[in-house]
Amino acid sequence: MKAAYLTGHGGNEVVAVGERPAPQPGASEVLVRMKAATVNRVDLYMRDSGAGITHTLPQVLGLDGAGVVEAVAGSTSPLPVGQPVVLHPGLACGHCEFCRRGEDVLCTTYRLLGEHRDGTFAELVALPARNVFALPAGLSFAQGAALGVNHLTAWRMVVTKARVQPGESVLIFGIGGGVSLAALQLVKALGGTAIVTSRDTGKLQRALALGADHAIDGSTTDIARAALALTGGRGVDVVVENVGAAVWPQALKSLVRGGRIVTCGATTGDQPGADLRRLFIRQLQVFGSTLGTNAEFADLLAFVERHRLAPVIDSVYGLDEVPAALARLESGRQFGKVAIEIAT
Ligand SMILES: [Zn+2]
């Protein structure tokens, strides 16, 4: 089968597109013929370093994906051959302390497609039946693929961790990125007020067109001051953040007393000042989050279908063009997901 895989680490020249052995599904696994995937920041990390992630080269890249069930072998999959599906990229052991209480995303031996085993930038993927879900009605394969990492991450942040309620104000940093746009869609569908930030006026205009209530240009405006002004001096109920050190002090200053901040990333650095005095006097709550459980993915898919949400696709590349797709993500110019269409 054709796949995009790593031959080493460091820059696009280590990403090869060519023939790899087709995966052989295990006893409880399903074989999926891939139609689309999207690129994520972790693909750049794997390409450039992969440090701390146990993997062997050559390694097929790609975490999220959508396709069609090709074979169910001996698995107990309720999904028939030919069913359009989306994939959850996390493989949990099923019996550790965290798996037993339904927190499979915290599994002590968690393994991810495209990180610890061959991923989705390939014509075929084998994975456990419990990681394969029906594609929500009305979505393209590329839009479905986009749900598997960014929307799932945003769901756990907004719904499970921050528990955003109707009428609450939510400040979302770095609009244009996949998680931030997913958070915007979820907050609006939940009846919240969404305030978005970017240093790119074009991205702010597009976010307003997608339903954001207010936009703050971080290149010209003090974000905390603007967030306070937009909430009558009160501060926002929730901050959704994945930019890291560059915005963390502003993020904390934007919160109402007792407010919640949830982070899933640290693109600009992971060691900001903690501002402990503000944290305890104003009784703020800080949540870390990454990806989401299989049960959360099922809830997300039902919510997406019910509210007719569709992930924003920035651009579409072929499997041969994975290096160009990675370069597009790395440029930071994208608005929404950079997708890979896999023609088979
Ligand atoms: Zn486990």
Side-chain angles (χ1 to χ4, degrees):
M1 65 161 186
K2 193 158 91 171
Y5 59 95
L6 289 179
T7 59
H9 295 290
N12 264 340
E13 55 275 14
V14 303
V15 181
V17 181
E19 285 297 314
R20 295 294 304 149
Q24 300 298 317
S28 62
E29 293 191 338
V30 171
L31 189 65
V32 176
R33 183 162 292 278
M34 300 302 297
K35 298 289 188 185
T38 78
V39 297
N40 292 289
R41 294 212 71 85
V42 70
D43 298 314
L44 293 175
Y45 181 76
M46 288 299 293
R47 182 197 70 179
D48 293 339
S49 154
I53 296 172
T54 305
H55 64 285
T56 52
L57 299 175
Q59 157 88 44
V60 177
L61 287 171
L63 275 82
D64 56 31
V68 173
V69 175
E70 174 88 353
V72 294
S75 83
T76 54
S77 172
L79 300 170
V81 170
Q83 168 75 46
V85 292
V86 292
L87 310 185
H88 184 300
L91 282 67
C93 77
H95 51 74
C96 74
E97 170 192 351
F98 304 99
C99 285
R100 285 202 310 275
R101 67 176 196 224
E103 286 280 73
D104 42 84
V105 72
L106 296 177
C107 178
T108 54
T109 54
Y110 209 44
R111 298 169 72 226
L112 290 156
L113 298 177
E115 293 189 45
H116 308 93
R117 59 184 267 166
D118 281 343
T120 57
F121 299 168
E123 291 175 329
L124 292 165
V125 171
L127 77 172
R130 66 172 181 268
N131 284 69
V132 182
F133 297 78
L135 175 71
L139 293 192
S140 69
F141 285 110
Q143 289 169 328
L147 300 173
V149 173
N150 284 174
H151 269 68
L152 179 56
T153 299
W155 178 267
R156 186 167 171 88
M157 294 173 84
V158 168
V159 176
T160 308
K161 299 283 188 174
R163 296 176 179 267
V164 170
Q165 302 299 310
E168 286 195 315
S169 51
V170 183
L171 177 61
I172 303 167
F173 278 85
I175 203 69
V179 173
S180 300
L181 279 170
L184 169 60
Q185 289 186 339
L186 296 177
V187 166
K188 290 312 298 173
L190 289 165
T193 297
I195 305 169
V196 300
T197 83
S198 173
R199 301 174 66 83
D200 180 326
T201 53
K203 290 183 180 182
L204 292 173
Q205 290 306 315
R206 294 182 70 177
L208 288 167
L210 284 171
D213 297 281
H214 306 285
I216 301 172
D217 184 341
S219 67
T220 57
T221 311
D222 181 297
I223 291 172
R225 196 169 294 166
L228 290 173
L230 288 168
T231 53
R234 174 183 179 274
V236 299
D237 296 292
V238 172
V239 169
V240 172
E241 202 287 290
N242 59 36
V243 178
V247 305
W248 189 258
Q250 292 282 299
L252 288 184
K253 285 178 186 161
S254 301
L255 282 169
V256 69
R257 291 161 182 271
R260 296 99 80 194
I261 179 167
V262 55
T263 177
C264 72
T267 312
T268 60
D270 64 353
Q271 301 290 334
D275 202 354
L276 291 177
R277 193 168 291 116
R278 174 177 296 275
L279 201 64
F280 69 74
I281 289 177
R282 297 177 73 86
Q283 304 197 29
L284 307 178
Q285 297 182 73
V286 180
F287 298 95
S289 195
T290 186
L291 207 62
T293 66
N294 281 32
E296 285 169 329
F297 197 42
D299 290 343
L300 164 69
L301 296 177
F303 187 90
V304 162
E305 191 163 298
R306 193 162 66 245
H307 290 273
R308 299 174 187 272
L309 303 184
V312 178
I313 303 298
D314 168 78
S315 48
V316 179
Y317 294 82
L319 191 53
D320 290 323
E321 301 169 311
V322 164
L326 291 168
R328 172 74 181 166
L329 176 63
E330 195 168 26
S331 76
R333 291 196 299 270
Q334 82 283 1
F335 186 88
K337 295 298 286 174
V338 179
I340 308 292
E341 277 190 350
I342 301 163
T344 54

